[in-house]
Amino acid sequence: MAVGKNIRTYFEGQWHEGDAQIMRAGDHGAWLGSSVFDGARYFDGMAPDLEAHCARTNRSAEALMLTPTVSTEKMVDIVREGLEAYGQDKAVYIRPMYWGIDGDASAIVPKADSTGFAICLEEIPLAAPTASVTLTTTRFRRPVLEDAVVNAKAGCLYPNNARMLREARSKGFSNALVADAMGNVAETATANIFMVKDGEVFTPIANGTFLAGITRARHIANLRADGVTVNESVLGFADFHDADEVFMSGNMNKVTPVTALDDTQFQIGPIARRARELYWDWAASDR
């Protein structure tokens, strides 16, 4: 499923130009959903937190009962080799992935030592700094570990996110603010969430129902280093309606301001703008 252009695929030890075929009909990942991935970004000649994203790919594989076959260091080297084909002015989505190939005697459990691996590089532009989204609520919630592999960035989790997005769009909004199993705010359908009240930043505490993202952690560290108080708290929908500003945090676009939550309107605020400035400054310093 290509959403960008200028795709390169690493598979079976070499780079291929284009959207190469990597999975067979009988692969466990194709018919039983044992696939994991991660997403990093390349832009302005930088690939921030690339090592952290590659390391999480391996942790996700283990959570889905797959055996990682490529070390974090090797994965980083392969990605950097593939990026050499892109200019520094290109924005690239970096997607390493594993999937199960064979199942055990039950067919349900993937064989731990039978794992496919690929990396997809796909040119996808970053959203403009002025881009924003609107949010609504959804009847769908984030699962818990007893129900789903929420400790992995697994493909099988995303149909639930798709249901959230479809419901939000049917109501005239671009994304959904999502509750956990207890009814507290967890994240949006596509990214982690932050709110600002009286100059302090708040974000839902990581409780195991959602992936506390690598970019989320980077924003928390950057803002705290800049003197901003950041609280990881239990938050409800009323807290967000009462916020001074709201913004999303995700790998795809890093910082995305929110301009509405149902009937509540927000301005693009100074903390969201500052979080973006701090992220780009940090990325350049870590180049």
Side-chain angles (χ1 to χ4, degrees), residues 157-167 189:
L157 296 172
Y158 280 78
N160 194 41
N161 300 49
R163 296 192 301 177
M164 299 167 186
L165 285 172
R166 177 168 286 186
E167 181 182 6

Side-chain angles (χ1 to χ4, degrees), residues 175-228:
N175 210 318
L177 190 61
V178 180
D180 61 21
M182 295 169 287
N184 301 311
V185 172
E187 59 174 356
T188 72
T190 61
N192 294 138
I193 192 74
F194 289 84
M195 54 164 275
V196 182
K197 183 66 177 178
D198 297 330
E200 294 190 14
V201 175
F202 297 81
T203 191
I205 190 167
N207 62 2
T209 67
F210 64 93
L211 279 180
I214 292 166
T215 306
R216 170 187 180 272
R218 186 61 60 192
H219 289 319
I220 291 173
N222 287 345
L223 287 165
R224 285 176 174 165
D226 199 48
V228 178

Side-chain angles (χ1 to χ4, degrees), residues 29-232:
W31 69 293
L32 288 173
S34 58
S35 66
V36 300
F37 71 99
D38 216 288
R41 269 299 207 169
Y42 173 80
F43 56 90
D44 299 338
M46 306 178 293
D49 278 324
L50 176 58
E51 182 176 355
H53 284 285
C54 291
R56 190 172 64 180
T57 309
N58 283 343
R59 293 197 304 272
S60 290
E62 291 170 347
L64 214 66
M65 299 166 286
L66 303 172
T67 299
T69 57
V70 181
S71 71
T72 297
E73 295 76 13
K74 178 63 174 177
M75 204 180 300
V76 169
D77 289 343
I78 295 170
V79 169
R80 293 200 181 280
E81 179 186 58
L83 288 172
E84 291 176 359
Y86 298 88
Q88 292 193 4
D89 61 328
K90 304 299 184 184
V92 180
Y93 185 61
I94 302 163
R95 190 169 59 247
M97 66 194 85
Y98 289 108
W99 64 96
I101 295 176
D102 298 314
D104 69 0
S106 72
I108 303 300
V109 180
K111 282 188 175 180
D113 60 350
S114 180
T115 308
F117 175 75
I119 299 173
C120 180
L121 302 181
E122 190 169 357
E123 190 179 327
I124 302 176
L126 290 164
T130 55
S132 63
V133 300
T134 58
L135 301 178
T136 186
T137 56
T138 172
R139 68 186 186 276
F140 302 112
R141 295 190 177 189
R142 291 293 305 168
V144 297
L145 185 60
E146 290 78 5
D147 299 333
V149 284
V150 290
N151 56 337
K153 196 168 176 68
C156 58
L157 296 172
Y158 280 78
N160 194 41
N161 300 49
R163 296 192 301 177
M164 299 167 186
L165 285 172
R166 177 168 286 186
E167 181 182 6
R169 291 169 182 171
S170 73
K171 296 162 65 176
F173 296 85
S174 50
N175 210 318
L177 190 61
V178 180
D180 61 21
M182 295 169 287
N184 301 311
V185 172
E187 59 174 356
T188 72
T190 61
N192 294 138
I193 192 74
F194 289 84
M195 54 164 275
V196 182
K197 183 66 177 178
D198 297 330
E200 294 190 14
V201 175
F202 297 81
T203 191
I205 190 167
N207 62 2
T209 67
F210 64 93
L211 279 180
I214 292 166
T215 306
R216 170 187 180 272
R218 186 61 60 192
H219 289 319
I220 291 173
N222 287 345
L223 287 165
R224 285 176 174 165
D226 199 48
V228 178
T229 298
V230 182
N231 307 277
E232 296 183 77

